[in-house]
Amino acid sequence: QVQLVESGGGLVQAGGSLRLSCAASGRILSVNAMGWYRQAPGKQRELVARIVSIGGIVSTNYADSVKGRFTISRDNAKNTVYLQMNSLKPEDTAVYYCNADLVPIGWPRNNYWGQGTQVTVSS
């Protein structure tokens, strides 16, 4: 089975930086996209950043609230996606979830979710 394991969350002061990592493990045939979502208490889960690779064309998209501050990147060889978060604000506080749209070997394409990692930004 495919598993997504996140790391890098924690407590940081406003204006600081964190880098989240998410590694997809298992026997994977291909990865169409990986991304980060977040959910704050009482709010719906929202897209933070996503990196898509289809037909050799790579594209990224970001939530308006994080543009210019967050950067998503991917290490294809390691099936790992990163989220570099700079200039963090208290409103960035949430549980961050890794997501992958991938094809396991011998199984249909599907979306997978990590367990979530807490990011807390103090003022």
Side-chain angles (χ1 to χ4, degrees):
Q1 289 183 319
V2 173
Q3 290 184 310
L4 305 182
V5 180
E6 300 118 327
S7 62
L11 175 65
V12 66
Q13 291 182 318
S17 298
L18 285 173
R19 190 178 77 152
L20 305 183
S21 299
C22 173
S25 64
R27 296 185 61 80
I28 298 169
L29 179 63
S30 62
V31 178
N32 297 320
M34 297 186 77
W36 292 94
Y37 295 72
R38 68 186 181 188
Q39 187 168 22
K43 297 183 178 180
Q44 292 185 326
R45 187 174 299 186
E46 65 174 350
L47 173 70
V48 177
R50 185 172 171 87
I51 184 165
V52 180
S53 180
I54 300 176
I57 301 174
V58 180
S59 62
T60 59
N61 59 293
Y62 297 88
D64 289 341
S65 60
V66 308
K67 287 181 179 178
R69 300 188 298 120
F70 291 9
T71 303
I72 189 168
S73 61
R74 179 182 164 194
D75 185 334
N76 292 336
K78 298 180 179 179
N79 289 324
T80 299
V81 66
Y82 305 94
L83 185 67
Q84 179 66 45
M85 304 186 293
N86 298 325
S87 302
L88 283 163
K89 304 174 181 180
E91 50 262 45
D92 295 318
T93 296
V95 177
Y96 284 69
Y97 296 91
C98 179
N99 172 264
D101 175 5
L102 56 80
V103 183
I105 295 176
W107 296 92
R109 178 186 60 81
N110 204 357
N111 280 283
Y112 297 85
W113 291 93
Q115 79 286 353
T117 185
Q118 177 70 47
V119 172
T120 303
V121 184
S122 62
S123 60

